[in-house]
Amino acid sequence: MELDLGEIRKNIDLTDDEIAKLFWHRMELCENVARYKMLHLKNVRDSSREQAIIDRLTDGRNEADSRSLSLLYNTIFEISRARQSSMMGTSSKLFSDVVDAYEKNADFPLSASVACQGVEGAYSQIACKKIFKDPKILYFENFESVFKSVESGLCRYGVLPFENSIHGSVTEVYDMLSKTDLKVIKSVKLPIHHALVAKKGTSLSDITEIFSHRQAIGQCSEFLSANKKIKVTVSENTAAAAKMVSQSERKDIAAISSENCAELYDLDILKKDLQNSSVNFTMFYCVSKELEVYRPINKAAFMFNIENKAGALFSVLAQFAAMGVNLTKIESRPISGRDFEFMFYAEADTDGLDKNMLALFSELEKSLAFFKFIGVYEEIKI
């Protein structure tokens, strides 16, 4: 008997209609479960219940069918949890703290004490002046000192590079952010244009050694590879490298820094735009000790750790997908001293303060091995 594709598809449509009706009925029942859990102060996730459902439905099935059915129901569970979280999250401390900070609706300060790494002319200083109209900047030798100055209250804020579009994340800042309680309250995506600067009257052929920060060195790797005879030495900061060149008696050295440093330290620009790509941006974070939330908001950031097992990451990401949240960044870092365990850092787009997303954060804080809220903030576009 010849199969009629049209008839088969008609039956599939009828079956899909029934599945959709049952799905919406299941969602209504999940909302009743959420109301019960709120009344009895229970968590959204009930792993033993979920596993019991999968075990019952896959009993007697072959391995391939069991795997497919498990994937389907794990997706249903994620959608169900996301819906329950949106109903239950308002009872959490995280939810109430963020909403309270948001409803204070204080204006973002035009002037404040701000910690930056490096010296005058550093890219952090440039980023700082894009965030604040009149910052009172204190310079520190390294990123750790910036964090400590904010934690101790010496400075109200700190401005730090977090990620570059060419050379990737600034790992020291990433790691310290995961270990402190500092929150991101603003970010700025700064276009980076590196220049080779040296003492007045120096030419490129005179240079035997170049100094700069490792991030800038990585971003200018093509230029440095084309000049392999020139020694490359890592400095703590691009501006510090330029300052050192200006104060040195040597005339065979140069620095990779911003063009601003040439004027600031009375140096010549030997070559502009050394970076590998004309599209070169660095993301800078403004961090604070206190939870501060200012309007407008277009980004949210968080960190989390999961069990090292199949489907664990999918389980988290599916809940954001179920809410229609666009995750714009997710990056993993190995956890020191743990066997193949990773910390994940993620950013998401948000149009204002998304309370459903906050509710999901609250649930993840309860259900995951580790969850850290980093902040909801404005990413300044330049």
Side-chain angles (χ1 to χ4, degrees), residues 164 166-167 213-222 224 276:
N164 177 261
I166 295 176
H167 201 57
H213 187 268
R214 66 172 62 88
Q215 274 279 332
I217 291 169
Q219 294 163 33
C220 302
S221 59
E222 291 178 6
L224 296 171
N276 296 347

Side-chain angles (χ1 to χ4, degrees), residues 58-93:
T58 57
D59 185 37
R61 298 280 182 179
N62 63 45
E63 184 178 349
D65 287 346
S66 295
R67 201 163 44 240
S68 298
L69 195 64
S70 295
L71 178 61
L72 171 64
Y73 267 84
N74 276 318
T75 302
I76 291 173
F77 294 153
E78 308 307 340
I79 296 169
S80 300
R81 275 192 240 119
R83 179 162 294 202
Q84 290 184 35
S85 294
S86 68
M87 296 174 63
M88 297 173 61
T90 54
S91 62
S92 77
K93 186 177 186 303

Side-chain angles (χ1 to χ4, degrees), residues 147 160 162 170-184 285-288 301-303 345 347 370 372-375 377:
F147 272 87
L160 299 133
F162 189 73
V170 183
T171 55
E172 305 100 306
V173 175
Y174 184 107
D175 290 341
M176 282 183 279
L177 192 61
S178 70
K179 296 172 184 175
T180 69
D181 289 327
L182 301 191
K183 299 291 186 289
V184 175
Y285 278 164
C286 179
V287 298
S288 69
F302 56 98
M303 290 181 174
Y345 173 87
E347 290 179 358
F370 173 84
K372 179 179 173 61
F373 170 76
I374 301 297
Y377 52 91

